[in-house]
Amino acid sequence: MDSELAALATSGATTLISLMVTDSWTHAREVVGRFLSRPQADGATLADLDSVRARLLAARAAPGTHTTDDLTNPWHTSLQEVLQSGSATADTLRDLLASLQQLAHAPQTRRLTVHNDISGGDQHGPVVQSGRITGLTVHVHPSVDAAQN
């Protein structure tokens, strides 16, 4: 394998391992899983990715159990095998790396709790607060009081 592809595989493995401990991992896991599951690739599965992530998180909690290289090297090998098998090109791996690096540098989003109060009159049906809604259908069943009148 030429040195450019080897460097690309190394960069991919390093980026993959670094993303495993971020909030972006869920999306990165899906992207990498699809890449490694290409036809004719003897790639890793999502379960393998999850296993390595668990070991990486355990290593962070108990330093000295694994080094980052221990966890990165198998992914370097997997990415090289995907490239050598011809099931992916250097360009597709570059695209994957670009999207992973974009995830790695994306600002982490925080989930916020929103509390809305409704006041000012009687509400006899659903109330929806939103900035934009398309294709909404609301079914309102008549109340018992309305049916008696």
Side-chain angles (χ1 to χ4, degrees), residues 49-94:
L49 292 168
D50 292 338
S51 172
V52 171
R53 181 174 193 257
R55 291 191 338 229
L56 183 60
L57 293 173
R60 291 183 85 199
T65 55
H66 291 284
T67 67
T68 303
D69 287 344
D70 293 340
L71 300 171
T72 304
N73 290 337
W75 294 107
H76 174 247
T77 303
S78 291
L79 291 173
Q80 280 184 320
E81 289 171 356
V82 169
L83 291 172
Q84 287 176 338
S85 72
S87 61
T89 65
D91 287 338
T92 56
L93 182 54
R94 278 188 201 93

Side-chain angles (χ1 to χ4, degrees), residues 8-19:
L8 201 54
T10 299
S11 177
T14 302
T15 302
L16 174 63
I17 293 298
S18 67
L19 277 171

Side-chain angles (χ1 to χ4, degrees), residues 2 12 28 32-33 39-40 42 58-59 76 87 94 103 106 108 112 119-120 123 136:
D2 74 9
V32 172
Q40 303 170 354
D42 191 20
H76 174 247
S87 61
R94 278 188 201 93
L103 281 174
Q108 300 300 317
L112 301 174
S119 62
Q123 312 302 322
L136 178 68

